[in-house]
Amino acid sequence: MVKIVGKFKILPGVEEEYLAELKKCILATRGEPGCLEYTAFWNEDENVLTLFECFRDSDAAAKHLEYPHYAVDFRALKKYYAAKAEATRYENPIV
């Protein structure tokens, strides 16, 4: 199992547009074979989106990066970032 936690600081004034575009990507990702979870939480006070991704294995996580909704849509979302995105990857849960 692979779990990825990403944090995205969003520019002020574009939140609604960003979230509308992001929701399309999230729904597409949830339909990928091997995707176990893809959930986003919005922190309005900090203008930060935290994304929790969970894939069956490393192959499914790698394949995610090849789908058109990632290769095109997610990369297009960078225009909304106020800072570089942060991501932490976790593998091999102990329980």
Side-chain angles (χ1 to χ4, degrees):
M1 181 186 302
V2 175
K3 185 83 155 182
I4 301 166
V5 180
K7 289 199 169 223
F8 307 87
K9 176 84 172 159
I10 305 305
L11 293 166
V14 298
E15 300 89 348
E16 287 185 30
E17 184 179 341
Y18 169 74
L19 293 173
E21 290 188 37
L22 177 69
K23 286 177 186 177
K24 296 177 208 171
C25 298
I26 290 173
L27 294 175
T29 300
R30 287 179 179 171
E32 294 175 15
C35 178
L36 304 176
E37 175 192 3
Y38 215 78
T39 307
F41 293 88
W42 179 247
N43 180 324
E44 190 173 320
D45 294 335
E46 297 179 12
N47 243 35
V48 171
L49 181 112
T50 303
L51 184 62
F52 295 91
E53 310 174 31
C54 189
F55 296 95
R56 179 183 59 241
D57 53 31
S58 290
D59 290 340
K63 182 71 176 165
H64 166 65
L65 303 178
E66 298 173 12
Y67 285 104
H69 53 267
Y70 179 86
V72 176
D73 298 338
F74 270 114
R75 290 187 179 148
L77 294 174
K78 288 182 179 183
K79 66 185 176 191
Y80 298 110
Y81 297 175
K84 184 177 178 186
E86 300 174 21
T88 305
R89 181 181 175 117
Y90 303 91
E91 295 189 52
N92 305 318
I94 59 171
V95 177

